Amino acid sequence: MAPPNRPSERETDPARAQRWDPARYAEHGRFVADLAGPLVALLAPRPDDEILDLGCGDGALTASIAPRCRRIVGVDASPDQVQAARALGLDARVADGHALPFDSEFDAIVTNAALHWMTRPDDAIDGMWRALRPGGRVAGEMGGAGNVARISGALVDALGRRGIDGESRFPWYFPTPSAYRRKLAARGFEVTEMALVERPTTLPGDISGWLETFAEPFLGAVAADRRPAMIAEVRDALEPVLYRPGTGWVADYVRLRFLAVKPRAAEG
C-alpha cells in the first residue's frame, strides 16, 4: 500500500468524503470515547484549565472531561456531530481542524481519534500551537503507522477487483512516532511523551458496522446499490484474521499517543 502519510483528495471530491451520522456513530463507534482513559490520564485535567477538544465528535469524551476543568470547548468538522454534542449541553462549534480559529485561548488541547483525519498535519499542528497559551499542552491520540492495515488492505483489494485504484481512496494520515515528533518539534513544541501502541480493539458488533461508519471514502467509490456486496466481500476476506470465536470482531488498531508542550517563552 502507498505510504499512509500522503494527503488524500477527499477534501475536494464529495465521493471521497467521510460523513458522520451521530446515531450510527453512537452504535458502532462509542468505543472511541470509552477507550480514551489513557489519553485523559495523559491530559491530567486541572480545575482551572480551559481546554479545547479537537475533533469532539458527538461530545461523549468532552462531557466526561467537563466536570474536571473550568471550561471545555469542542470543535468538529461535522455539523451533525456538533449538533449532537450541543444536545448534551456542551459548547461545541463547527470548525476545520486545518484552520482553527483560536488565538492563545486554551491551557490544553485534547484530541482523540481525530488528527489522522486531518491530512494536512502541519496545518493542524500550527492551529494547535496558535490556540494554546504559552505553557499549554496537547494530549493526543491518533492512528499511527500500521493502524487498521488489514482492514484498509482488504478495502483496497476489493476496489482493485472492480478496476478502481483503492490506494487513491486512502483517507487517513497514520504517521510513525519519529515523523510526528519531527513535525511537532518543527513548530516549536517540546514533545515529552510519544508512543506507538498496538491496541487490538473488540468491536461492538459486526465488522460491517465499522465499515459503514468509518470507511465511506472507500465505499463511495462504488454505486450505492453495489456497496452491500463490497462490504460482504471485505467481511469475508477479514473474517479469518479479525474474527475471534467467543470474542467477536477485533479491529487491528495501532495508536500514536503523545504529549507536547508549548514552551512558556513561546510567542505566536
Side-chain angles (χ1 to χ4, degrees):
M1 180 174 295
N5 60 346
R6 56 172 172 74
S8 73
E9 300 174 20
R10 65 185 174 83
E11 294 164 33
T12 56
D13 183 350
R16 287 171 163 80
Q18 172 67 39
R19 304 167 191 83
W20 299 103
D21 178 283
R24 186 172 64 186
Y25 185 83
E27 179 180 0
H28 299 292
R30 178 59 64 231
F31 64 88
V32 174
D34 290 345
L35 296 177
L39 174 63
V40 176
L42 197 62
L43 173 68
R46 303 162 186 164
D48 289 336
D49 275 343
E50 293 186 280
I51 298 174
L52 175 67
D53 184 351
L54 173 56
C56 66
D58 62 5
L61 180 60
T62 324
S64 72
I65 296 172
R68 303 173 61 181
C69 63
R70 187 195 326 179
R71 179 173 75 109
I72 188 165
V73 176
V75 295
D76 201 278
S78 166
D80 291 334
Q81 291 281 63
V82 166
Q83 185 176 2
R86 288 175 177 169
L88 298 178
L90 296 168
D91 181 353
R93 311 173 191 181
V94 177
D96 181 353
H98 297 104
L100 290 174
F102 304 107
D103 185 7
S104 301
E105 293 187 37
F106 298 99
D107 304 297
I109 295 172
V110 62
T111 179
N112 184 37
L115 289 172
H116 56 251
W117 290 99
M118 300 173 201
T119 55
R120 304 197 310 272
D122 293 326
D123 291 344
I125 290 170
D126 185 64
M128 292 191 291
W129 174 273
R130 286 184 287 101
L132 286 172
R133 297 171 179 136
R137 64 201 187 279
V138 182
E141 183 172 306
M142 62 193 292
N147 191 56
V148 296
R150 286 174 169 167
I151 296 175
S152 58
L155 286 160
V156 168
D157 290 346
L159 288 177
R161 287 189 288 271
R162 289 160 173 79
I164 300 169
D165 178 8
E167 292 184 1
S168 71
R169 313 291 301 196
F170 197 94
W172 301 301
Y173 167 68
F174 293 152
T176 63
S178 59
Y180 204 66
R181 180 186 290 271
R182 285 195 298 270
K183 286 187 176 296
L184 289 166
R187 188 58 185 90
F189 280 106
E190 295 177 353
V191 181
T192 60
E193 296 195 37
M194 178 77 70
L196 192 66
V197 181
E198 290 193 17
R199 195 197 69 192
T201 300
T202 302
L203 301 181
D206 195 87
I207 189 72
S208 59
W210 189 98
L211 296 169
E212 292 168 352
T213 303
F214 295 103
E216 284 193 357
F218 295 101
L219 301 178
V222 300
D225 61 348
R226 297 184 179 183
R227 289 173 198 167
M230 179 174 160
I231 289 172
E233 183 180 317
V234 172
R235 183 188 187 280
D236 288 345
L238 291 172
E239 187 169 12
V241 292
L242 295 184
Y243 183 78
R244 300 178 184 175
T247 299
W249 286 91
V250 180
D252 54 331
Y253 272 45
V254 180
R255 314 313 279 172
L256 183 63
R257 193 177 299 144
F258 67 91
L259 183 68
V261 178
K262 180 177 181 177
R264 292 191 180 279
E267 297 181 359

